[in-house]
Amino acid sequence: MSYENLMRPIRIQNMTLRNRVMMAPMGTNLANPDGSISEEHKNYYQLRAKGGTGLIVVENACVAFPLGSNGTTQLRLDHDSFIPHMYELTEKVHAWGCKISIQVNHAGSAAIPSRIGQQPVSAGDIPCKTGGVIPRALSTEEVYALVGKYADACKRAQMAGFDAVEIHAGHSYLVSQFISPTTNNRTDEFGGSAENRARFLKCILQETRKRLGRNFPIAIRISADELVPGGNTLEDTLGWLPYVDEYVDLYDVSAGLNDSIEKMIDKADLPDGWKRYLSKAVKEKTGKPVVISGNIRAPHIAEDIIASGDADIVAMGRSLIADPEWCNKVRDGREDELRKCISCCIGCVGNRMGSNRPIRCTVNPAVTQGDTCKKRKVNKPCKVMVIGGGTAGLEAACTAAEIGCDVTLAEQSGSLGGRAACLCDLPEKRRMNDFVTYLKNRTARLKNIKVVLNAAVTKQMAAAENPDLIVCATGSKIATPNIPGLLDNLAEGNIMTVDGVIAKVTEGGFPHSMAGKQAVII
């Protein structure tokens, strides 16, 4: 398929992008403890630039430390000392023909008290999520002082060589906490009406535009529909946008707040590009270029979004963590090589937000270093036998073959993919099939892998192969908890394992056979 619209350049003020794909800003915990950018961090972004991305938006950088910090280790732009290393980053990205922006942000009441050493601040004294910490309402004077902090950070970004800046005005951070009626109970000029609630953002944009000049691109990220009771609807957002529109060059359209985080981060069962109706509405209202995100994995969906005019740029986050080469592969007609994100949120969101660790990826073992192992070829003949054709066995076989080994992959069933391929039969797990498909395609391209199906490996078979190395990837077994009576009920069929449920789904036994019945899941 031709992706001529997706690969067509676009100009925004004095910035021209080589294509319509933007890497969305995502926290990584890759920064140094002092808030400077690390060498690993630079390499992470450079890989995505090398992979053909049109525009990279670097994750949110703190404008006022420590009060506004978000994340265990977060980039900072609240002091001139952070400019030199940022300049090194922009040079590395520019060397690959990619443009680069950075998102500036203040966490507000989303900041964690134990990290910042004080009570978080916000528009009012309402937590930004259910059960959250009660913040202290900023004084009017403090609000105006923060306007300058945002503008200062944006000026530093310009000095560091960034091609644009993005001000985060969504997702339950400070600007969003002013805009949303769910968190703003102020009675001064920054509270009450929609115009007043948008005033903080307007002041930031006015001051930033004054500092950066007329032609430097300024973007804002918005939650066009907050998707929470009492929050801004799409209609409400279209109502307040005119108050800030004259200062904005690009709208990065998203959705959701902390209490609708499954829409903000896009849970697995949401279809590709499901938010496109939001960007279409913002574009029609403002006439400005718009970006849209939302589980965009399939190139034909991205192409259709651009071709239809629903958005001018598609933003990909986890897709580019999973495959830094997404753009190059699509451009070059190598769509069957795409390693698509499966929306598991384990290594990215789970590591960063759940465990305070640097991001990783379930399907990409080399998030920050790239496929460097492929350069380390074996220097003498090496035979490898891999027992088991699930995802672990396929990955092991492919990696061994890619560094020059002769590989035999033996699978006792009649198909590859293992338990992951079975799980794909569950409706909520269908995205996992993308990884299985990727591994099968990768295996098929490698001429030095011999696949043997319906082969339960014996000592004699292994001896006949005479490998230098055997990899045992025979998979997992269903865990059986020590619950009295469980084994008897399993035998009688009153209780099913996950494998049993999958078999029922595959046979068509669900959901009709469960209509009107209760189920307990342990």
Side-chain angles (χ1 to χ4, degrees):
M1 180 177 175
S2 171
Y3 299 107
E4 58 181 332
N5 293 289
L6 187 63
M7 293 297 151
R8 194 172 69 243
I10 182 173
R11 184 177 178 85
I12 300 165
Q13 293 286 43
N14 61 4
M15 175 179 69
T16 300
L17 309 182
R18 60 184 168 187
N19 59 46
R20 306 301 183 94
V21 178
M22 178 184 110
M23 182 177 182
M26 299 167 291
T28 62
N29 275 344
L30 293 174
N32 290 318
D34 65 352
S36 61
I37 191 161
S38 67
E39 292 305 311
E40 182 183 32
H41 212 165
K42 293 173 191 173
N43 197 52
Y44 165 77
Y45 284 115
Q46 190 178 358
L47 284 170
R48 277 78 197 165
K50 179 183 176 183
T53 308
L55 173 65
I56 288 173
V57 183
V58 173
E59 66 212 71
N60 67 104
C62 181
V63 302
F65 184 84
L67 197 58
S69 64
N70 168 53
T72 311
T73 58
Q74 183 195 9
L75 292 173
R76 289 169 59 183
L77 267 177
D78 59 320
H79 193 276
D80 288 354
S81 62
F82 297 108
I83 295 173
H85 287 298
M86 287 291 198
Y87 182 62
E88 291 176 6
L89 168 66
T90 61
E91 282 193 308
K92 288 178 183 292
V93 167
H94 286 150
W96 293 103
C98 180
K99 300 299 183 183
I100 183 166
S101 177
I102 189 167
Q103 185 184 82
V104 298
N105 188 35
H106 189 298
S109 59
I112 296 176
S114 60
R115 291 185 192 155
I116 65 174
Q118 54 191 299
Q119 183 183 18
V121 297
S122 183
D125 58 0
I126 305 171
C128 66
K129 62 181 178 182
T130 302
V133 175
I134 295 175
R136 172 181 68 81
L138 289 160
S139 68
T140 305
E141 293 74 20
E142 286 177 308
V143 175
Y144 280 111
L146 279 174
V147 167
K149 297 280 189 183
Y150 274 90
D152 288 343
C154 289
K155 183 62 181 178
R156 292 185 186 104
Q158 186 185 49
M159 294 169 68
F162 286 94
D163 301 290
V165 293
E166 178 175 284
I167 294 160
H168 204 333
H171 295 175
S172 289
Y173 292 115
L174 184 61
V175 177
S176 167
Q177 290 159 24
F178 274 81
I179 292 171
S180 179
T182 64
T183 44
N184 188 336
N185 57 358
R186 301 179 72 90
T187 56
D188 62 0
E189 64 262 42
F190 294 103
S193 68
E195 181 177 10
N196 282 357
R197 286 183 278 112
R199 193 180 305 278
F200 181 39
L201 176 58
K202 181 178 181 179
C203 290
I204 291 169
L205 288 166
Q206 284 176 322
E207 187 61 26
T208 300
R209 177 60 72 199
K210 190 186 303 180
R211 306 274 188 95
L212 302 187
R214 188 168 58 87
N215 296 320
F216 192 84
I218 298 175
I220 61 172
R221 192 169 212 198
I222 60 171
S223 293
D225 192 332
E226 296 179 346
L227 301 171
V228 295
N232 285 316
T233 63
L234 175 59
E235 184 179 357
D236 294 329
T237 297
L238 298 178
W240 66 256
L241 285 181
Y243 300 124
V244 303
D245 185 61
E246 66 177 294
Y247 310 103
V248 178
D249 300 306
L250 180 66
Y251 288 98
D252 184 356
V253 180
S254 185
L257 299 179
N258 282 337
D259 279 347
S260 52
I261 194 168
E262 75 283 356
K263 303 294 176 60
M264 193 164 80
I265 300 180
D266 305 302
K267 63 194 181 92
D269 66 326
L270 291 167
D272 278 42
W274 72 274
K275 293 175 182 171
R276 60 192 291 180
Y277 73 99
L278 298 172
S279 58
K280 180 181 180 182
V282 171
K283 185 176 180 180
E284 289 175 351
K285 177 70 175 181
T286 66
K288 299 282 182 70
V290 294
V291 181
I292 195 59
S293 58
N295 269 356
I296 299 173
R297 310 280 188 265
H300 73 276
I301 298 292
E303 169 72 12
D304 185 66
I305 290 172
I306 304 301
S308 67
D310 287 355
D312 300 281
I313 298 169
V314 292
M316 297 182 187
R318 292 169 293 174
S319 285
L320 290 174
I321 294 176
D323 196 338
E325 292 280 330
W326 195 96
C327 288
N328 285 347
K329 289 176 180 179
V330 171
R331 181 199 64 199
D332 298 340
R334 296 183 288 134
E335 192 175 337
D336 65 330
E337 296 181 31
L338 288 176
R339 180 171 51 204
K340 295 178 183 177
C341 166
I342 59 172
S343 294
C344 69
C345 289
I346 295 169
C348 49
V349 180
N351 261 22
R352 190 185 74 83
M353 296 175 65
S355 305
N356 298 322
R357 299 186 297 202
I359 65 164
R360 294 294 185 263
C361 179
T362 301
V363 300
N364 178 10
V367 171
T368 61
Q369 68 270 34
D371 295 329
T372 54
C373 66
K374 292 181 181 179
K375 300 175 184 177
R376 302 175 65 186
K377 306 293 185 182
V378 292
N379 55 20
K380 62 181 181 180
C382 181
K383 289 185 69 176
V384 174
M385 185 175 196
V386 178
I387 306 173
T391 52
L394 287 166
E395 183 71 45
C398 290
T399 302
E402 284 162 351
I403 63 170
C405 300
D406 289 315
V407 181
T408 298
L409 173 63
E411 164 57 39
Q412 70 175 354
S413 75
S415 61
L416 299 173
R419 175 159 276 115
C422 297
L423 286 170
C424 299
D425 288 329
L426 297 176
E428 303 295 327
K429 297 290 185 182
R430 284 181 182 148
R431 285 192 186 274
M432 286 183 67
N433 193 50
D434 287 335
F435 186 50
V436 176
T437 300
Y438 158 76
L439 287 171
K440 287 179 178 178
N441 290 343
R442 185 175 161 199
T443 302
R445 286 193 303 272
L446 292 162
K447 304 307 179 186
N448 50 338
I449 297 181
K450 178 178 71 174
V451 176
V452 183
L453 299 177
N454 300 304
V457 177
T458 62
K459 271 186 181 182
Q460 292 75 16
M461 181 180 175
E465 286 290 331
N466 192 28
D468 298 290
L469 176 70
I470 293 178
V471 178
C472 182
T474 52
S476 59
K477 288 186 168 66
I478 293 292
T480 307
N482 185 22
I483 300 173
L486 177 61
L487 291 176
D488 293 337
N489 278 278
L490 280 170
E492 293 171 11
N494 301 320
I495 293 176
M496 285 179 284
T497 64
V498 172
D499 284 344
V501 173
I502 292 170
K504 274 282 190 182
V505 171
T506 306
E507 295 163 6
F510 288 140
H512 304 297
S513 65
M514 291 297 292
K517 297 182 180 180
Q518 291 183 323
V520 175
I521 299 173
I522 302 176

